[in-house]
Amino acid sequence: MCNCILLGPPGAGKGTQAKILTKRFGIPQISTGDILRAAVKEQTPMGIQAKKFMDEGALVPDSVVIGIVEERLVKPDCSSGFILDGFPRNVEQADALKQVLLRTGKSIEHVISISVDKEELLSRITGRRTCRSCGKGYHIAFDPPEVPDRCGECGGELYQRDDDREETIRKRLEVYEEQTAPLITYYGQESLLRNVQGTGSIEDIQSEIVGIVEGKGRNT
Ligand code: ADP
Ligand code: ADP
Ligand code: ZN
């Protein structure tokens, strides 16, 4: 069983690592960002409401994202584990998650905090490309597709997210520092926190996370 949270700034590699963990352990990735982007694309009422916050690099209101996670966590595929990617993002969301878990008889086993310095985050985010069809992530320099602009998994078209532009990125990094970084202390106090250095190869970082999930050794 692996109920875990991937915590880290935009560009830390949460989505990349979550997608590999999903395949490896057969448990779902719950990415509030992916769910919100799908709602924006489909122009659902939630998507229309969320879009203005996302375009500014601000957080979407707590009630919206908490609702998303609450609905998702009760689905049967979460019964043998789940990976929360990009949620919670502030203390209010973390408190709400606790309540949802209590009500559903679940608990979090690991909060994996991935750290990467700011320069590296900026180059990762500006070079990030995502497959329109299957959502797989690439980087134009660090993890390029074999055929330019084409997904190696499904042949889909790669695109750059609207909010991956420089001005919005700075705002998102500020929001992370102000609202999300306090969760490192929050989960540290609950002894759930494990720190992972997010620089190095995607494979090496994956091995470290797998070690944590499989309960091998304890560091900080
Ligand atoms: P990244 O992977 O770069 O950190 P995400 O895909 O997680 O970005 O999030 C993109 C945007 O979606 C955020 O800037 C925010 O507007 C919105 N969002 C995603 N998750 C949350 C959340 N838990 N709470 C509020 N807003 C969220
Ligand atoms: P997050 O979900 O935390 O915002 P992503 O997983 O989308 O981050 O990664 C951001 C960008 O950095 C992507 O373009 C991805 O291909 C790239 N990336 C992820 N992990 C690494 C790594 N270990 N080294 C270099 N680039 C990476
Ligand atoms: Zn694809």
Side-chain angles (χ1 to χ4, degrees):
M1 171 92 89
C2 162
N3 295 346
C4 61
I5 295 174
L6 295 184
L7 189 63
K14 303 179 298 295
T16 303
Q17 295 298 333
K19 286 192 169 65
I20 310 175
L21 289 171
T22 286
K23 278 196 185 155
R24 186 172 203 127
F25 293 107
I27 55 175
Q29 169 196 15
I30 304 178
S31 160
T32 41
D34 286 351
I35 295 168
L36 288 167
R37 276 185 291 280
V40 170
K41 192 171 158 195
E42 286 162 29
Q43 296 187 297
T44 66
M46 179 176 85
I48 292 165
Q49 190 197 356
K51 188 178 185 315
K52 55 181 186 292
F53 297 95
M54 297 171 81
D55 285 347
E56 283 173 13
L59 294 185
V60 171
D62 291 339
S63 57
V64 174
V65 283
I66 292 164
I68 291 176
V69 171
E70 193 162 14
E71 256 181 42
R72 186 65 189 82
L73 277 177
V74 296
K75 297 213 169 136
D77 64 338
C78 292
S79 61
S80 49
F82 53 83
I83 305 152
L84 283 168
D85 160 13
F87 180 95
R89 251 179 161 92
N90 60 26
V91 169
E92 290 71 24
Q93 294 179 15
D95 284 340
L97 175 63
K98 246 185 222 168
Q99 297 306 318
V100 172
L101 293 170
L102 264 179
R103 279 203 296 279
T104 50
K106 299 181 196 284
S107 60
I108 296 292
E109 283 145 317
H110 310 284
V111 177
I112 299 165
S113 168
I114 309 177
S115 46
V116 172
D117 68 59
K118 202 165 165 185
E119 281 302 300
E120 170 84 11
L121 291 175
L122 282 172
S123 48
R124 283 193 188 179
I125 303 171
T126 46
R128 169 161 55 192
R129 297 292 183 273
T130 310
C131 174
R132 252 188 227 291
S133 312
C134 75
K136 185 170 162 36
Y138 292 86
H139 189 282
I140 51 172
F142 307 146
D143 188 15
E146 259 177 50
V147 180
D149 302 320
R150 285 284 147 205
C151 175
E153 299 268 295
C154 78
E157 180 204 5
L158 302 188
Y159 79 106
Q160 180 171 32
R161 274 168 47 180
D162 285 343
D163 61 345
D164 278 353
R165 283 169 292 112
E166 191 122 5
E167 328 80 76
T168 323
I169 296 170
R170 292 197 185 277
K171 169 75 179 166
R172 283 161 56 207
L173 291 173
E174 270 172 37
V175 168
Y176 172 79
E177 286 303 331
E178 284 167 17
Q179 304 196 45
T180 312
L183 293 180
I184 296 175
T185 313
Y186 181 102
Y187 286 115
Q189 285 165 348
E190 301 192 357
S191 309
L192 290 176
L193 193 77
R194 302 295 298 273
N195 291 304
V196 168
Q197 184 54 252
T199 37
S201 75
I202 291 172
E203 296 72 28
D204 286 351
I205 298 163
Q206 176 69 195
S207 310
E208 199 176 334
I209 296 177
V210 167
I212 292 172
V213 168
E214 291 180 339
K216 289 181 194 135
R218 281 201 77 87
N219 52 17
T220 50

